[in-house]
Amino acid sequence: MAMQDAVRQAPPRTSLFNDPAIRGIIYQVVVIALVVGGGAWLVLNAIQNLAAQGKNMGFEFLTRTSGFDIGFSVIDFDRTSTYWEVFVVGLLNTLLASFISIILATILGFFLGIARLSKNWIVAKMAMVYVEVTRNIPLLLWLFVIYFAVLKTLPPVKTSMVVWNDFYLNQRGIFVPKLVFDERFVWVLGSVLVAIVAAFGVRQWAKQRLFATGKRFPTLIVAILILIAIPAITFLASGSVINVDPPVLSGFNFKGGIDIPPELAAMIVGLTLYTATFIGEIVRSGIQAVSHGQTEAAQSLGLRDGDRLRLVVLPQAMRVVIPPLTSEYLSLTKNSSLGAAIGYPELVNVFAGTALNQTGKAFEIIGMTMLVYLIFSLVTSAFMNWFNARVALVER
C-alpha cells in the first residue's frame, strides 16, 4: 500500500519540449541552423555559377590599377590608384557627406521642432508649411532641384559670382580661401580642447549653483570668453603663423583655396533640409510628451521661458526623441547612396558602380558595400544607445 501511495503521489513526467525555456533554445538553434545553411547554400551556388562562367571569386582585384579618375576625393587619387583606393575614396566621401549632414540636420531639426510649438503664429505656421512641403516630396527630387535647378544655373567660371571678397560661386562649385597652418599650430588645437573642457566645467558648476542657491551665472558669456581667450593666448605665445591661400582665377578655372564641388554641396543641402523635417517632428512630439505640469512647476519656480525649455522640458523630452532620432541618422547615411544620381562620387557610385562594371566582381563588391552600410548602422546604433542610457530618467 505504501508503495502504491508513493506511485500515486509521484509527479507526472513531462517532455523536455514542453519546457518553455528548452523549447525556446531549440527554436533558436533551428533558426540559426536554417540561416547559416541558407547562407552557405547561396555562397556555394554563387561559386559554382561563377566557375561555370569561367570566373573565380576573390579579392585580388583590389590590388589592380583602376585606370579611371574620380572628380572629388579627400585623399590623393589618380588613374594609377588601385581599386582598394577606389573603395577608400568612396567610403570617405560617404562619411564626409553623412557626417556634415547629420550635424546640420540635427541643428535645423531641433530649431524646426521648437518653432512649430512657438506662440508666434507666423513662426509656427512657416515651420509647419516647410515641414509638410519638404518631407512629402521624395529626396531624389530635391537633389535634382538643388543640383540642376540651382547650382547648375550659376554663372560660368569666367563670370563667377563673388559672395564676399575671395568667396566665389560658379557652375563648377564653391571656391573659398584655404587656411595654411604651420607645425606650431598643434598647440593651439590642444588649447581648444582644454577650453572646451573648461567651458563644460563652468556650465556644470553654474547649473549646480543655480539649483543650490537660485542665483544665475552668465554661463554663455563666460563660456564664449573661455573658448576665445585660451586659444588666442596660446596662439600668441606659441608664435604660430596662419597663412591664407585664396582661390585665384587662372585660365579656365580657379587655382588655390578650397574647391567644394556642386555635387557635394547638393548632397549636404538636400540631406540636411529633407532629414531635418523628420527630426523636427520627432522633437515636437518629444516636447509635447512632457507633462504640462512640469512646465507649470518650472514657471512657479520663477524660471524664464528659455530656462524652462533648456533645463526642464528638453532633458525630459530627450528620452522620447533619441530612439526615433537614431532611425533618422541611419536613414540619412543610407540615403547618401542617392548621390550617384547627381554624380557625387560616394561608395555606391564609384565602387559598386564604376569598379563593379570594370572588374565584374559583383559578388565581392556588393558584399563589401553591404558590409560597410551594416557597420555604419551598428556603430551609429551603439553610440545612440549609449547616449540614450546617459540621458534616460533614473527612477528612485
Side-chain angles (χ1 to χ4, degrees):
M1 293 294 296
M3 183 175 294
Q4 292 178 354
D5 293 339
V7 172
R8 294 193 195 98
Q9 294 176 2
R13 298 179 63 183
T14 59
S15 173
L16 290 177
F17 192 75
N18 292 330
D19 187 343
I22 300 298
R23 189 168 61 247
I25 294 175
I26 293 174
Y27 287 156
Q28 294 178 51
V29 171
V30 171
V31 170
I32 293 175
L34 291 175
V35 171
V36 173
W41 178 82
L42 290 174
V43 172
L44 293 175
N45 187 52
I47 294 175
Q48 293 175 0
N49 291 334
L50 289 174
Q53 299 175 13
K55 300 179 181 179
N56 62 332
M57 288 186 60
F59 295 91
E60 74 284 348
F61 73 95
L62 293 175
T63 60
R64 298 185 211 156
T65 301
S66 61
F68 65 90
D69 202 358
I70 297 178
F72 172 74
S73 172
V74 295
I75 62 174
D76 293 333
F77 186 91
D78 55 33
R79 295 178 180 273
T80 62
S81 300
T82 62
Y83 285 109
W84 171 253
E85 292 174 289
V86 173
F87 171 76
V88 174
V89 168
L91 176 64
L92 294 178
N93 286 349
T94 298
L95 286 175
L96 177 65
S98 300
F99 182 74
I100 297 176
S101 299
I102 284 175
I103 294 176
L104 297 179
T106 302
I107 296 173
L108 180 59
F110 270 78
F111 174 79
L112 289 172
I114 296 172
R116 288 212 58 183
L117 299 175
S118 174
K119 297 178 181 178
N120 188 307
W121 187 86
I122 296 179
V123 172
K125 294 304 178 183
M126 288 180 62
M128 182 194 71
V129 170
Y130 169 76
V131 168
E132 295 301 330
V133 170
T134 305
R135 70 173 181 166
N136 286 300
I137 296 178
L139 173 59
L140 183 59
L141 294 182
W142 281 120
L143 292 178
F144 285 156
V145 169
I146 296 170
Y147 183 69
F148 293 107
V150 178
L151 296 179
K152 282 303 181 179
T153 58
L154 292 173
V157 175
K158 288 290 187 179
T159 58
S160 296
M161 183 186 303
V162 182
V163 179
W164 180 67
N165 289 341
D166 294 322
F167 291 75
Y168 301 93
L169 293 176
N170 56 58
Q171 294 177 350
R172 295 190 180 179
I174 305 171
F175 296 84
V176 299
K178 179 182 179 181
L179 299 179
V180 181
F181 307 100
D182 60 6
E183 65 278 359
R184 290 171 292 185
F185 194 77
V186 66
W187 294 102
V188 181
L189 296 178
S191 68
V192 171
L193 297 177
V194 173
I196 293 174
V197 174
F200 182 77
V202 169
R203 177 181 176 274
Q204 294 298 108
W205 171 81
K207 183 185 295 186
Q208 295 176 359
R209 179 174 180 263
L210 176 63
F211 290 156
T213 64
K215 297 181 179 179
R216 299 181 182 276
F217 186 79
T219 307
L220 181 60
I221 297 176
V222 173
I224 293 175
L225 291 177
I226 291 175
L227 293 174
I228 294 176
I230 294 180
I233 294 173
T234 306
F235 176 77
L236 296 176
S238 64
S240 179
V241 177
I242 301 178
N243 296 317
V244 179
D245 179 21
V248 178
L249 182 61
S250 177
F252 296 99
N253 203 354
F254 282 89
K255 292 185 177 180
I258 298 176
D259 175 15
I260 303 175
E263 295 81 11
L264 175 60
M267 281 295 300
I268 293 176
V269 173
L271 289 173
T272 298
L273 296 182
Y274 183 77
T275 310
T277 60
F278 295 92
I279 295 178
E281 290 298 280
I282 292 171
V283 172
R284 181 176 68 89
S285 63
I287 293 175
Q288 290 180 326
V290 178
S291 173
H292 187 64
Q294 296 291 317
T295 305
E296 293 177 341
Q299 187 175 5
S300 67
L301 293 175
L303 295 178
R304 291 179 292 192
D305 290 344
D307 291 333
R308 289 200 299 269
L309 180 65
R310 179 171 54 89
L311 300 175
V312 178
V313 177
L314 282 181
Q316 297 184 68
M318 291 302 292
R319 74 184 192 276
V320 180
V321 169
I322 290 179
L325 186 63
T326 304
S327 299
E328 294 304 322
Y329 289 164
L330 299 179
S331 297
L332 186 150
T333 305
K334 289 178 282 190
N335 285 339
S336 64
S337 61
L338 293 174
I342 58 174
Y344 178 65
E346 43 77 42
L347 187 64
V348 174
N349 187 2
V350 297
F351 191 63
T354 306
L356 189 152
N357 291 331
Q358 291 192 356
T359 62
K361 297 288 187 177
F363 193 87
E364 297 88 338
I365 290 178
I366 295 301
M368 291 177 64
T369 305
M370 293 173 63
L371 183 61
V372 165
Y373 284 103
L374 176 62
I375 293 175
F376 283 172
S377 299
L378 293 178
V379 171
T380 304
S381 299
F383 174 78
M384 294 301 291
N385 289 336
W386 169 81
F387 185 67
N388 187 35
R390 295 272 299 178
V391 302
L393 296 180
V394 179
E395 298 182 359
R396 297 181 179 179

